[in-house]
Amino acid sequence: MSIQERLYTVDDVWQLSQLPENELKQFYLIDGELFWDMPPGYAHGNLAGHIFRYLLNYAEAHDLGDGSVESGYYPPDDRRTLLAPDVAFVRKRDVPPANHAQFVPRMPDLAVEISSPSNTVAELRRKAEVYLANGTELVWLALPERVGVEVWRMGPDGEPATEFVARDGSLTGEPVLPGFSLDLQRLFSS
């Protein structure tokens, strides 16, 4: 839901998120336009948790980096864009310190967005384009209603390239998580 009255910055969102009346709201920005979502339901959170677990287990076993869930990321040169992926992964060289309490001043290397009743696939695709335009290398749009995942990367022509991986397929982490593979039947069992 857009609540646009003016152009907002990362600093504005930080202040808004600290207000008690906004405790349950999750804010994000695209080109200064402010949006908010309510916290997701159980199925959404459960799917995010499983994806996070598989990514983090692999990353830790191979000393590749670290991840987060619903943390804010923004491009260091654009304080009017802030996204909070359901799951994010950052390579080891760019992981913020463990005590970093505010939004992360970079985009994640891998961003995962999960569709829910409060957003449309078009909104998720817009976010995927924003991630890629700002340095994210790999975006997974998990679509439980379609029982699969849209995989987004920048194509050789500099334009976003997508593919749909159905429940009988596997996700790979290339180039962000070399060797990572996740059988989607583990996420979409029925």
Side-chain angles (χ1 to χ4, degrees), residues 164-185:
F164 182 76
V165 180
R167 180 174 71 134
D168 59 348
S170 295
L171 292 175
T172 65
E174 304 297 334
V176 178
L177 290 159
F180 176 82
S181 181
L182 175 57
D183 179 352
L184 287 187
Q185 290 186 13

Side-chain angles (χ1 to χ4, degrees), residues 43-53 69-70 86-87 114:
H44 180 112
N46 184 267
L47 182 56
H50 285 293
I51 293 170
F52 181 71
R53 178 173 48 99
V69 176
E70 295 184 358
D86 294 308
V87 176
I114 300 169

Side-chain angles (χ1 to χ4, degrees), residues 43-64:
H44 180 112
N46 184 267
L47 182 56
H50 285 293
I51 293 170
F52 181 71
R53 178 173 48 99
Y54 292 127
L55 286 175
L56 194 60
N57 285 345
Y58 186 84
E60 286 179 347
H62 296 87
D63 196 28
L64 296 174

Side-chain angles (χ1 to χ4, degrees), residues 12-134:
D12 297 324
V13 173
W14 183 258
Q15 290 176 348
L16 283 170
S17 69
Q18 304 307 305
L19 298 174
E21 63 267 26
N22 293 328
E23 181 180 10
L24 296 179
K25 294 180 182 173
Q26 297 174 325
F27 295 99
Y28 66 96
L29 293 172
I30 297 178
D31 295 326
E33 187 175 355
L34 182 66
F35 299 88
W36 65 273
D37 290 323
M38 293 304 289
Y42 177 79
H44 180 112
N46 184 267
L47 182 56
H50 285 293
I51 293 170
F52 181 71
R53 178 173 48 99
Y54 292 127
L55 286 175
L56 194 60
N57 285 345
Y58 186 84
E60 286 179 347
H62 296 87
D63 196 28
L64 296 174
D66 206 353
S68 64
V69 176
E70 295 184 358
S71 298
Y73 291 81
Y74 65 94
D77 58 347
D78 179 4
R79 299 188 64 78
R80 296 182 322 140
T81 297
L82 170 75
L83 296 174
D86 294 308
V87 176
F89 173 78
V90 176
R91 287 185 180 103
K92 185 176 180 176
R93 68 177 183 259
D94 295 316
V95 171
N99 65 350
H100 185 85
Q102 294 190 340
F103 303 133
V104 181
R106 72 176 312 278
M107 295 305 261
D109 297 303
L110 166 63
V112 181
E113 293 283 353
I114 300 169
S115 79
S116 64
S118 67
N119 55 36
T120 66
V121 174
E123 290 169 334
L124 294 180
R125 289 176 176 155
R126 181 177 183 202
K127 286 182 181 181
E129 290 175 347
V130 171
Y131 284 118
L132 293 176
N134 288 287

